[in-house]
Amino acid sequence: MYKSLKKCMGLKKSVSALLAAMLISLPGASSLAMESIMPYSEVWGGETGTAYTVVDGSGEIQPFQVDLIGKMDGGKGGSRSIMARASGALIEQTGGVLQGMSGSPIYVEGRLVGALAAGIKDMAPYTFFITPIEDMLPLWSLPDNKNKGRLATFDLKKYQEDKAKKAEEEAKKDAKAEGESAAEEKQDAPETENAAAEADEAGKAPAAAEAASEEKPEAEAAEPAPEETAGAEKSEAGEPVAEMEKEPKSTLFFSGFNTSGLDYLKKKLDPKGELSFVPMGIEAGQGFLATRYNAELQPGSPVGVAVVCGDFSVGATGTVTAVEGKKVLAFGHSFLHKGNVNYFMTDASVVGTISGPAAGMKIANMGSIIGRVNQDRETGVAGILGEFPSVVPMKIRVEDKTLGRQDNYGVRIAYDEDYLPQLTAGVAYAAVAKTSDTTAGATAKIDFTIRTDALPGGKVTRSNMFYGAEDVGQNAVGELAQAMNLICNNKDKESDIVDVQADISLEEGRHTASLVSATPEKMTAAPGETVNFKTTIKPYRGEKQTLTIPYTVPKLQQEGTLHLDVRGGGFIPVTAAMLLQQVGLETADEEGKNQKVADRLQNLMDTPRNNEIIIAPGAGQPPTSEKEQRRMIREAAKAAKAQAEEDQKNHKVEFLKDKKKDNQTRFETEYIIDNVIHATLKVERP
């Protein structure tokens, strides 16, 4: 049939309608071989060709005329392109070449020349640039090292089929129950209401089964739902058009984000401000998209690429350029230009077009997940139908206590380490911004769990409280982003992440408190003895409160004055090592600069929380003389030696960070403690 297509494409414009009909009647492109191409060397300018794309809800692939103007070679290492001009009834209808037409295949004499890729910024939308197909085809043979997770996998297709079968069985049971209820109604009219209630519950069963299945970590490998955000990449033109700024014809889409959430996402994904974000492309509340296992595409079909899908979505739509078996080429320019990637491929449905004086766009909705995009390069994106990316499911529960509102959100994030930390934090913040609907001063509490093999326990768990005079949500998700960054930048291995769960509560106002005093019940204590401190705090605009906090003197504490810091968990303690560094003496790095990721994650989990009161040995007075400095060093060495002997005697080894935990008391409060005070004890051995 492709031979017929080539012949038709060489005919005059008068048979273009017939050509379009034939193209649309072709069987799925995945069953066809790659059509012949026109090499870049055979393009001279002056040729007339035909491009194909979808511009309305009919889904019909329609042709429009393309006149090639000339070639531009960026030189060694530069990109090649072909300048062209679009014309005809379809282009007059759309108002020119639009964003979203990226990837539209262009044929001359039945041979594929390349993909519509970019227009010229601030100029008439009829002239554009073509990415040569010769420069796109190598994407299919580039190394693919992503999607290599080591988590146990399962047959997702069978899982979905079993789920559908179970739902069907439930439906039959429901129908039977309804029939029995109807028969009983004739005998006992009051039972009517009960029967209706049972029918309602039965109708909810398939949905409940589906919701439960989404909680299973295994489903992560394919239930991801793509959405839209595309990178507006600038391709370099050759010297003949050096003053023309080429602008890829792509649209960046998002859904689910309000203004604050989108602003935060922009800062995380696009700190240089190179991308444009458009609030359309996926209907809000559409949730997790379906998965199609035997989807087919053909040149000219709309296609989507996404990195996040679900209640919040980030992705882009464009047009298919070429298909060979299960392999797909599209866009004619990059999405986010990240090379070897692991993104969702979806089908898409065009809604319509919007034209403007110098630019317009084609509006499309994401459809079902149909495959995986594995290359995101300057000349286009490439992917594989029927192969799905591994994903990280994420669930967020947000409660605004002031508004009495609680919402639950769920997304699937394509497992790509380049974007996981930013997208995880971005989605969490967007959930907070959407539920609270304010950036005024507030207090937030967050609890999150990341299931991962990055550390022996298999989980990263963390709780903390934050206050912000404005937009506390950004503070609240900071440690989540920090944990994800550590996992995704593991120097030793690529870590698997099973899922992420976050529980965030907010309350209007400032829930902070200041320490006023901390007085020990006795002034003298022995090493290992526990002393209660009567600690007074003053909540913001509240009455003073007195707390009893026990503190145990370290067993190896030297005799003399023990200086103690009483502080909020968010304050960094001043240590003796810091004081020695201030006078120019070098000290060993206690934590070590080359810690393993597992240790750094453990440190994050062990870090005192902002709403805790910490009582721990302080630095005391800074050394005032060289003699005093030497004394401090000798005492530190003596204490270290004594501890080492104690450990050896007890046949145990502890890391320094564990000893530091033993030397401090952590006392949880309902307030963020915002200062530090000092206390002393006299240590005497019995």
Side-chain angles (χ1 to χ4, degrees):
M1 295 188 71
Y2 261 83
K3 292 181 178 179
S4 300
L5 175 61
K6 293 173 186 176
K7 292 179 181 179
C8 289
M9 293 179 68
L11 297 179
K12 297 180 180 180
K13 287 184 272 182
S14 59
V15 294
S16 61
L18 175 62
L19 172 61
M22 290 183 65
L23 180 64
I24 295 168
S25 66
L26 287 173
S30 62
S31 65
L32 298 174
M34 176 72 186
E35 59 264 68
S36 63
I37 68 169
M38 175 176 283
Y40 182 77
S41 60
E42 295 184 20
V43 176
W44 298 102
E47 298 94 338
T48 296
T50 307
Y52 296 88
T53 197
V54 175
V55 296
D56 56 38
S58 70
E60 180 183 358
I61 299 176
Q62 302 184 54
F64 60 89
Q65 181 175 317
V66 173
D67 297 308
L68 306 189
I69 298 172
K71 299 188 297 185
M72 291 163 291
D73 194 330
K76 186 175 181 180
S79 60
R80 303 187 300 182
S81 58
I82 302 166
M83 181 179 281
R85 182 173 177 82
S87 61
L90 183 68
I91 292 300
E92 292 301 324
Q93 173 190 329
T94 60
V97 174
L98 310 175
Q99 293 183 13
M101 289 185 178
S102 300
S104 298
I106 297 165
Y107 299 85
V108 171
E109 297 179 352
R111 294 192 294 169
L112 180 59
V113 176
L116 187 155
I120 303 174
K121 189 174 182 180
D122 299 325
M123 295 186 69
Y126 295 94
T127 301
F128 63 94
F129 295 92
I130 300 169
T131 297
I133 188 61
E134 269 187 319
D135 296 346
M136 297 178 68
L137 289 173
L139 301 185
W140 279 338
S141 57
L142 292 178
D144 182 9
N145 299 313
K146 294 294 181 78
N147 214 37
K148 307 294 183 183
R150 292 163 297 284
L151 290 173
T153 58
F154 76 117
D155 188 339
L156 182 63
K157 185 175 181 180
K158 184 178 183 300
Y159 169 77
Q160 295 283 7
E161 290 174 347
D162 291 345
K163 185 173 71 173
K165 184 177 179 181
K166 183 178 179 181
E168 185 178 351
E169 291 174 354
E170 290 291 336
K172 290 180 180 178
K173 290 180 182 179
D174 297 340
K176 183 178 179 181
E178 287 180 3
E180 293 174 353
S181 298
E184 292 175 1
E185 283 178 3
K186 296 179 181 179
Q187 300 176 0
D188 192 355
E191 293 182 0
T192 302
E193 293 181 3
N194 293 334
E198 291 174 4
D200 284 343
E201 289 302 315
K204 295 175 184 176
E210 184 174 353
S213 71
E214 289 173 348
E215 294 182 5
K216 296 186 178 182
E218 299 92 342
E220 65 187 60
E223 283 246 88
E227 320 225 68
E228 321 187 327
T229 24
E233 308 274 346
K234 295 180 181 178
S235 54
E236 299 178 359
E239 291 185 4
V241 288
E243 296 181 0
M244 296 183 183
E245 185 178 358
K246 295 202 299 186
E247 187 176 51
K249 291 292 181 184
S250 64
T251 304
L252 296 135
F253 292 111
F254 68 89
S255 73
F257 296 84
N258 64 8
T259 302
S260 297
L262 182 60
D263 287 344
Y264 183 85
L265 184 72
K266 286 180 179 179
K267 285 190 289 186
K268 291 296 181 181
L269 283 183
D270 184 29
K272 295 182 180 180
E274 297 174 341
L275 309 180
S276 60
F277 291 71
V278 177
M280 53 187 73
I282 293 183
E283 296 179 5
Q286 193 172 2
F288 300 123
L289 301 185
T291 302
R292 291 177 56 203
Y293 301 95
N294 297 305
E296 297 181 344
L297 293 173
Q298 63 186 53
S301 299
V303 67
V305 179
V307 291
V308 180
C309 62
D311 291 324
F312 300 98
S313 304
V314 182
T317 57
T319 305
V320 175
T321 305
V323 180
E324 183 175 63
K326 295 292 184 181
K327 299 184 297 183
V328 178
L329 289 174
F331 282 28
H333 58 73
S334 62
F335 169 51
L336 293 170
H337 206 186
K338 289 296 181 178
N340 184 200
V341 296
N342 187 53
Y343 299 154
F344 303 118
M345 181 193 297
T346 76
D347 55 17
S349 59
V350 176
V351 176
T353 61
I354 301 174
S355 60
M361 66 180 63
K362 181 167 69 173
I363 307 302
N365 289 329
M366 289 285 184
S368 302
I369 301 164
I370 59 175
R372 169 177 170 253
V373 171
N374 64 349
Q375 299 296 336
D376 178 13
R377 306 285 179 172
E378 182 177 3
T379 58
V381 299
I384 306 167
L385 290 166
E387 178 180 302
F388 303 98
S390 55
V391 305
V392 176
M394 182 176 183
K395 292 186 177 180
I396 313 103
R397 187 190 76 89
V398 182
E399 179 184 8
D400 189 313
K401 295 182 178 179
T402 303
L403 297 178
R405 178 188 299 170
Q406 179 177 308
D407 295 308
N408 293 285
Y409 303 93
V411 297
R412 308 278 178 178
I413 305 175
Y415 195 146
D416 194 289
E417 292 180 320
D418 288 339
Y419 283 105
L420 257 178
Q422 299 95 315
L423 291 171
T424 303
V427 167
Y429 173 78
V432 171
K434 200 167 184 179
T435 297
S436 65
D437 195 22
T438 180
T439 57
T443 301
K445 182 178 181 182
I446 180 171
D447 297 271
F448 67 80
T449 299
I450 304 170
R451 292 199 292 167
T452 174
D453 65 352
L455 72 174
K459 285 184 180 181
V460 178
T461 58
R462 177 68 174 163
S463 298
N464 212 343
M465 277 182 71
F466 299 89
Y467 166 72
E470 60 179 33
D471 208 1
V472 69
Q474 296 197 33
N475 299 334
V477 302
E479 290 183 336
L480 174 60
Q482 181 182 352
M484 293 297 292
N485 264 310
L486 288 172
I487 296 170
C488 292
N489 289 286
N490 192 337
K491 295 180 180 179
D492 296 321
K493 66 172 185 176
E494 180 179 354
S495 301
D496 290 317
I497 301 176
V498 178
D499 60 13
V500 179
Q501 297 188 32
D503 193 318
I504 306 170
S505 62
L506 301 98
E507 191 166 2
E508 199 173 273
R510 178 173 176 171
H511 293 262
T512 65
S514 299
L515 291 158
V516 177
S517 63
T519 305
E521 288 183 338
K522 54 189 298 187
M523 298 304 298
T524 302
E529 185 178 354
T530 298
V531 178
N532 288 327
F533 277 75
K534 293 296 182 181
T535 306
T536 301
I537 63 172
K538 173 66 170 63
Y540 178 74
R541 294 181 178 177
E543 298 296 326
K544 290 182 180 179
Q545 300 178 17
T546 299
L547 310 170
T548 300
I549 305 177
Y551 174 73
T552 301
V553 179
K555 292 180 180 180
L556 298 176
Q557 181 64 42
Q558 300 297 309
E559 289 188 302
T561 301
L562 172 59
H563 295 273
L564 295 170
D565 287 341
V566 184
R567 59 183 173 83
F571 281 79
I572 299 174
V574 178
T575 65
M578 292 180 180
L579 295 175
L580 290 173
Q581 289 171 348
Q582 287 179 9
V583 296
L585 292 179
E586 293 185 2
T587 60
D589 182 359
E590 292 181 339
E591 300 297 340
K593 295 180 179 179
N594 297 312
Q595 274 190 317
K596 298 289 186 181
V597 164
D599 293 330
R600 296 176 70 183
L601 288 169
Q602 189 63 53
N603 286 346
L604 174 62
M605 290 191 287
D606 294 338
T607 300
R609 301 191 290 270
N610 296 330
N611 59 313
E612 290 181 324
I613 296 175
I614 309 300
I615 301 180
Q621 296 296 319
T624 57
S625 64
E626 185 176 344
K627 181 178 179 180
E628 181 71 9
Q629 295 169 14
R630 288 197 296 269
R631 184 189 67 78
M632 288 182 64
I633 294 174
R634 285 197 303 272
E635 288 186 358
K638 184 178 179 181
K641 182 179 179 182
Q643 182 66 63
E645 291 173 351
E646 179 75 11
D647 291 344
Q648 187 174 16
K649 184 171 65 176
N650 296 328
H651 303 287
K652 67 177 182 178
V653 177
E654 294 181 342
F655 292 107
L656 182 58
K657 60 178 179 292
D658 296 322
K659 299 190 188 91
K660 291 198 298 185
K661 285 194 295 182
D662 292 340
N663 292 343
Q664 69 180 17
T665 289
R666 297 172 60 170
F667 188 89
E668 186 173 355
T669 74
E670 297 177 354
Y671 303 94
I672 297 166
I673 307 301
D674 61 10
N675 69 326
V676 57
I677 59 176
H678 307 285
T680 59
L681 275 177
K682 187 176 181 180
V683 179
E684 292 182 352
R685 293 187 178 276

